[in-house]
Amino acid sequence: MSRRHRMPLAIALVLCFFLTACQERATFTSAFGQGIVTGTVVLGEDLGGGTPAGIEASIPGTGMEALLAADGQFVFAGVPEEAEIRFRRADGIDVSYSLGRGDATGMVIEISKSGAKRGRKRAVIGRSLQFEGLVVTATKESIVLDAAGKGIVTVQIVDSTQIRKGNRIVSATDLEAGARIHVMARPEGDGVVALLILVQGEAGGEGEPEAKVEIEGIVLAVVDRTITVDAAGKGALEISVPGGIEIRKGNRSYELSELQPGWRVHVRATRTENGLVAELILVQETGGDGKDEEGEDESRVELEGLILEISPTSITVEAAGRGPTTARIDSSTKIRRGNTSLTAEDLKAGDKVHVKAERVGDELLAKLIILQDS
């Protein structure tokens, strides 16, 4: 079967945009994004508890299919509400599981001879990498891209790699230098293997529809009508700032020229074919040392970045503009992803988080930890 239909990976990732006939069907809106469902398949006792390798998981009516590996893990995106996952294998397995509102993230699905049911454990999906940038060169074996915040990156193309532009599957050799792509990948050995490549705009073309982007980080420079931000997990980003947009901290308004390097900001922007364009800038801290312009300590601190270390009593984050920063966790700390409550044990090194903390003496106390990307 062609790679259009099967993806034999430890983590099978399929992302399908709906055909015109399906566009009226709603999708899940979960913490993972629009219609993304993740989980692990295990076999019940009546099937001997063996390996799920070779089971074909599919979402009927969408064209999404994935061939499971021995770990049984799967990821589907663009899943409509009230859909079902069908599991089939040549040895006679043919059962379905109907998805509900609470089934968007980290499911364990137990398959038996008579059907499929939700297990009690939470699935753990392996770490994925994401890159966004412009194609430098593309062959059947690999794509070299100039990735935002990461420089030149080479991703390997394998038989299971899926490359899409809207509803259409394309090949790596269809990509031209300068085309904008978004890559979901996994580390393998000393390299990176692409799971999914989304073509966002052709070289020199009009590109895909505009997308909203939320950026948080430290101001590096303000030049004319452009602000450069060291964004968590994305590196240095240049953002155009049109006249008349709102720039504020609490009830205080700022002019763009008042922003200073070292200030922490949250920027709501739109990605266009000409780059990022700011819609709103919220100033979170007016000094990299946690002090405002009058030199008074700011009690509230916000961190965004990747977890370096996590325990039931503390979290250390590689925070944009700060480097490794540790905050204490206690019984008052809330941890969540979307509307789902989590514990510190649900987090792991490499997860991207947003931490709202308060200064207590010489340390930070985490009041809220939001898991953004696992």
Side-chain angles (χ1 to χ4, degrees):
M1 189 173 288
S2 71
R3 71 177 177 187
R4 177 172 183 166
H5 300 291
R6 297 198 174 212
M7 300 179 65
L9 279 175
I11 302 174
L13 179 74
V14 182
L15 190 150
C16 281
F17 295 95
F18 298 122
L19 299 174
T20 301
C22 300
Q23 286 178 342
E24 295 182 358
R25 300 184 67 183
T27 61
F28 288 101
T29 301
S30 71
F32 280 84
Q34 288 292 327
I36 297 186
V37 176
T38 72
T40 298
V41 171
V42 298
L43 301 188
E45 293 181 2
D46 61 351
L47 291 172
T51 174
I55 292 178
E56 181 186 89
S58 63
I59 310 291
T62 68
M64 290 185 281
E65 297 181 354
L67 190 66
L68 303 187
D71 60 11
Q73 294 183 350
F74 63 86
V75 178
F76 287 111
V79 179
E81 288 188 8
E82 300 180 0
E84 65 177 20
I85 308 178
R86 186 176 182 183
F87 302 98
R88 293 183 295 179
R89 195 165 65 182
D91 59 1
I93 292 176
D94 191 349
V95 297
S96 296
Y97 177 82
S98 296
L99 292 165
R101 282 281 181 178
D103 288 334
T105 63
M107 297 181 291
V108 171
I109 298 179
E110 182 179 326
I111 291 178
S112 65
K113 292 179 180 179
S114 59
K117 65 180 182 179
R118 178 77 177 267
R120 293 184 179 181
K121 296 182 179 179
R122 178 181 173 83
V124 178
I125 299 297
R127 182 188 175 200
S128 65
L129 304 173
Q130 298 198 39
F131 307 98
E132 185 162 326
L134 303 180
V135 173
V136 178
T137 59
T139 68
K140 292 182 179 180
E141 292 77 28
S142 66
I143 292 179
V144 178
L145 71 152
D146 186 358
K150 298 181 175 66
I152 301 300
V153 176
T154 300
V155 294
Q156 300 173 34
I157 306 296
V158 295
D159 288 343
S160 57
T161 302
Q162 194 166 105
I163 307 175
R164 285 186 171 272
K165 181 172 175 61
N167 295 331
R168 185 165 53 93
I169 291 180
V170 298
S171 67
T173 53
D174 293 327
L175 303 183
E176 298 180 2
R180 179 172 294 277
I181 59 174
H182 185 97
V183 181
M184 297 181 184
R186 61 179 170 83
E188 185 171 292
D190 295 330
V192 176
V193 174
L195 302 172
L196 173 72
I197 298 173
L198 300 178
V199 183
Q200 297 178 322
E202 301 291 355
E206 296 183 355
E208 295 298 311
E210 297 178 344
K212 302 298 182 183
V213 181
E214 301 283 340
I215 299 162
E216 182 162 330
I218 302 298
V219 175
L220 296 178
V222 179
V223 179
D224 296 328
R225 301 300 307 181
T226 300
I227 181 173
T228 303
V229 177
D230 181 10
K234 299 181 176 70
L237 300 179
E238 290 190 356
I239 308 163
S240 298
V241 183
I245 76 160
E246 187 176 15
I247 305 174
R248 61 180 170 84
K249 182 177 189 292
N251 294 324
R252 175 174 175 180
S253 296
Y254 288 87
E255 297 294 331
L256 178 61
S257 59
E258 294 181 87
L259 302 188
Q260 300 294 322
W263 288 16
R264 178 177 293 276
V265 295
H266 184 101
V267 182
R268 183 176 302 159
T270 298
R271 178 178 286 112
T272 72
E273 63 176 348
N274 295 319
L276 295 169
V277 179
E279 296 180 348
L280 171 69
I281 299 176
L282 300 177
V283 179
Q284 296 179 326
E285 289 181 16
T286 53
D289 58 357
K291 296 188 176 186
D292 64 18
E293 58 265 43
E294 283 77 36
E296 298 296 327
D297 285 338
E298 293 183 329
S299 61
R300 296 183 180 179
V301 176
E302 303 210 17
L303 312 171
E304 183 160 328
L306 303 182
I307 295 176
L308 296 177
E309 295 181 7
I310 182 71
S311 75
T313 58
S314 69
I315 182 171
T316 300
V317 176
E318 181 66 43
R322 291 178 179 271
T325 305
T326 299
R328 182 163 55 87
I329 296 173
D330 66 9
S331 59
S332 68
T333 305
K334 295 181 180 179
I335 306 174
R336 62 180 172 82
R337 180 164 199 173
N339 295 322
T340 303
S341 294
L342 305 175
T343 68
E345 286 147 1
D346 294 314
L347 305 179
K348 64 182 182 301
D351 286 349
K352 184 178 180 182
V353 293
H354 183 100
V355 180
K356 295 185 178 182
E358 291 183 355
R359 294 186 184 278
V360 180
D362 294 331
E363 66 179 2
L364 296 177
L365 172 62
K367 304 301 291 184
L368 175 64
I369 300 173
I370 301 172
L371 176 60
Q372 296 180 321
D373 186 20
S374 179

